[in-house]
């Protein structure tokens, strides 16, 4: 029993180190959310920091409400892409640990 706890602690420490490294990498990982067939694009880090936005010139003379809706849709698309990227990155990290049912990483 004692050896099992020690082994579990070593695994947890290793996983914590890997998570810290992966989190640092996520700050550098970028995704691009799009709407309007790419007419509005939002570039976001996997730490949810918006790095830039591009709006097609043809939209600048359009209806303001439509442009605002396209920006919101592109932002939401970027957030979904961040979540997918992060989930993929962290999915294998806890495979060696036996976590209780329903417990997800990162916390």
């Amino acid at each position: 029993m004692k050896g099992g706890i020690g082994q579990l602690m070593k695994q947890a420490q290793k996983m914590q180190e890997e998570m810290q490294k992966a989190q640092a990498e996520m700050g550098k990982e970028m995704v691009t959310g799009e709407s309007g067939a790419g007419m509005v694009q939002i570039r976001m880090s996997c730490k949810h920091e918006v790095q830039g936005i591009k709006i097609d010139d043809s939209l600048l003379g359009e209806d303001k409400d439509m442009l605002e809706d396209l920006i919101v849709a592109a932002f939401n698309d970027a957030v979904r892409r961040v979540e997918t990227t992060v989930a993929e990155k962290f999915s294998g990290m806890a495979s060696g640990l036996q976590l209780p049912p329903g417990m997800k990483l990162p916390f």
Side-chain angles (χ1 to χ4, degrees):
M1 178 88 168
K2 192 174 186 181
I5 292 174
Q7 183 64 24
L8 184 62
M9 293 299 288
K10 286 180 184 180
Q11 288 178 342
Q13 184 178 7
K14 182 180 178 189
M15 189 177 80
Q16 182 181 15
E17 291 168 1
E18 290 175 2
M19 284 184 66
Q20 289 173 343
K21 182 180 174 186
Q23 287 173 339
E25 290 174 9
M26 289 288 96
K28 297 174 187 172
E29 184 90 21
M30 296 290 161
V31 300
T32 301
E34 298 182 356
S35 66
M39 295 178 82
V40 175
Q41 298 179 349
I42 293 182
R43 191 166 169 246
M44 179 182 287
S45 77
C46 285
K47 284 192 167 189
H48 294 92
E49 297 170 343
V50 174
Q51 302 295 317
I53 183 170
K54 289 184 181 181
I55 300 172
D56 190 276
D57 290 339
S58 66
L59 294 173
L60 296 179
E62 296 291 325
D63 180 21
K64 180 181 178 229
D65 290 334
M66 182 184 74
L67 180 56
E68 290 171 346
D69 289 343
L70 288 171
I71 292 170
V72 168
F75 181 84
N76 289 334
D77 184 50
V79 169
R80 281 189 294 275
R81 290 173 190 249
V82 164
E83 290 170 354
T84 299
T85 302
V86 170
E88 288 171 0
K89 183 75 172 179
F90 285 97
S91 67
M93 198 164 289
S95 62
L97 281 178
Q98 294 181 354
L99 298 174
M103 188 174 203
K104 297 179 181 178
L105 290 175
F107 301 107

